[in-house]
Amino acid sequence: MAEFIAGVLVVVIAAYACGGGTDYGAGFWDLLAGGAERGKRPRWLIDHAMAPVWEVNNVWLIFVFIIMWTGFPTMFQAVFGAMWLPLALAAVGLVLRGAGFALRKPTHRLAQRRIYGAVFAVSSLVTPFFLGAVLGGIAAGRVAVGTTASADAWANPTSVLTGLLAVAAVAFLGAVFLCSDARRFGADDLVDYFRRRALLAFAAVVVLALIALPVTHDDARHVWDGLTGGLGLLLVILAAVCGLATVFLLVRRSYGWTRYTSAASVALTVGAWGFAQRPYLLPTSLTVADAAGAPATLHWLVIVTGIAIVLVGPALVLLYRLDTLGQLEPLTDADTQAAGAPGDDA
């Protein structure tokens, strides 16, 4: 039962990495879009692409916390005790990001739009970095039951690299999804605009992954061994294949499957990390069995999870499907043609 719940936890983290990650990635490119005139068209696309689903994607994060504190309370206490500062910074970023995104759109004054836009964009960079740093600290074995909060728990080499990898990965996802959205909305210049950025982000992921190889070998040996053998290695290979397939499709300007291949590459990477940690939740001090809550609690958690899948799952699938088809909030001609092409001088 505990192993099953741990598997559900990894799946939900992967869902949040893909769903929420596309939003963080869109915010990353919002930050780099340029000034008010130069960045007007990319930001219009980002606003309209995110608007129908950005709040829904946070459901996955809530589900992660519920599984942690009900299914594995010992792990929850250890992680939040040792990592309270980066988690608090991620939470602040999450709140400010939502506020900035929600307030920017109806604001007419340019100065206020810039402030809200900057809050949204910077928070989209901060939140995935600190969430990734927390995962890196856990993988490196910096967290155990009774570990007190310290900078070493989340500011170590593995944590920093994992945080940077998280930022690069969500930037890759966001650019791929925005590339498809631009094509769907008929904004042809934005297709190539985000296509180039998707390729650059993937290159950044590869470079950071290569840098991380010797670091994790020494700093997170248990996870390293899990990623270089068995099912963990298989998932890493599949993730790499999906990532390369996405690049191939982008180079060929064939965008039909890029959403799925890019999301699969991130989800498989998260899955590989989960399998690499087995049998530990906190390598190498707390196993899944030792961290599990009472059997009755796990039993009811499975039941509640099943009910959530039956009741909420179809609605989420429908929402994502309608959003993919562009039937929720289509761009108007005024939106897509209000500004010049990216890079044009106003």
Side-chain angles (χ1 to χ4, degrees):
M1 186 72 73
E3 288 281 346
F4 174 77
I5 296 297
V8 172
L9 178 61
V10 173
V11 170
V12 177
I13 292 174
Y16 183 65
C18 294
T22 57
D23 292 342
Y24 292 127
F28 177 86
W29 296 119
D30 190 291
L31 181 65
L32 301 182
E37 289 301 320
R38 182 179 181 182
K40 189 172 184 178
R41 281 172 60 76
R43 291 190 177 104
W44 268 116
L45 180 64
I46 290 167
D47 284 346
H48 285 76
M50 285 183 57
V53 296
W54 71 276
E55 290 180 294
V56 176
N57 286 329
N58 290 325
V59 170
W60 300 113
L61 183 60
I62 296 171
F63 202 5
V64 169
F65 291 149
I66 291 174
I67 293 175
M68 284 181 64
W69 77 55
T70 55
F72 306 103
T74 305
M75 174 201 180
F76 182 84
Q77 181 182 15
V79 171
F80 276 75
M83 298 284 197
W84 70 267
L85 181 56
L87 288 170
L89 292 172
V92 170
L94 193 65
V95 173
L96 292 178
R97 175 177 167 273
F101 181 74
L103 294 173
R104 178 176 69 173
K105 194 170 184 179
T107 301
H108 297 292
R109 293 184 178 179
L110 180 60
Q112 291 181 342
R113 286 181 62 85
R114 284 176 172 172
I115 293 173
Y116 293 138
V119 169
F120 161 67
V122 173
S123 298
S124 296
L125 177 67
V126 168
T127 300
F129 173 81
F130 283 115
L131 291 177
V134 169
L135 292 179
I138 293 173
R142 296 298 209 284
V143 181
V145 177
T147 299
T148 57
S150 67
D152 181 65
W154 58 274
N156 56 81
T158 300
S159 289
V160 173
L161 280 171
T162 305
L164 293 175
L165 273 169
V167 172
V170 300
F172 171 61
L173 273 180
V176 171
F177 275 58
L178 287 168
C179 189
S180 297
D181 287 332
R183 180 170 174 266
R184 186 176 75 239
F185 292 136
D188 295 335
D189 57 312
L190 293 180
V191 175
D192 279 338
Y193 176 86
F194 285 109
R195 171 179 166 272
R196 292 191 297 270
R197 281 151 180 76
L199 295 174
L200 289 173
F202 183 80
V205 170
V206 172
V207 170
L208 288 170
L210 292 175
I211 295 173
L213 288 177
V215 174
T216 53
H217 179 271
D218 297 330
D219 198 40
R221 188 55 185 264
H222 178 79
V223 173
W224 164 270
D225 291 339
L227 291 174
T228 55
L231 186 57
L233 177 60
L234 176 60
L235 293 177
V236 168
I237 293 173
L238 291 176
V241 169
C242 289
L244 291 173
T246 305
V247 170
F248 175 77
L249 291 172
L250 289 172
V251 171
R252 293 285 303 271
R253 290 180 168 81
S254 178
Y255 306 104
W257 286 89
T258 53
R259 287 179 181 266
Y260 306 104
T261 54
S262 60
S265 67
V266 173
L268 288 168
T269 301
V270 174
W273 159 77
F275 277 101
Q277 289 201 172
R278 296 177 68 189
Y280 297 101
L281 283 177
L282 299 177
T284 53
S285 61
L286 186 66
T287 64
V288 172
D290 292 337
T297 302
L298 296 181
H299 178 76
W300 280 106
L301 186 57
V302 171
I303 293 175
V304 171
T305 300
I307 293 173
I309 292 173
V310 172
L311 295 181
V312 182
L316 287 176
V317 171
L318 178 61
L319 177 66
Y320 288 140
R321 180 60 177 167
L322 291 176
D323 181 51
T324 301
L325 295 175
Q327 297 181 7
L328 295 180
E329 190 176 342
L331 288 173
T332 65
D333 291 339
D335 291 335
T336 57
Q337 299 176 11
D344 290 348
D345 294 327

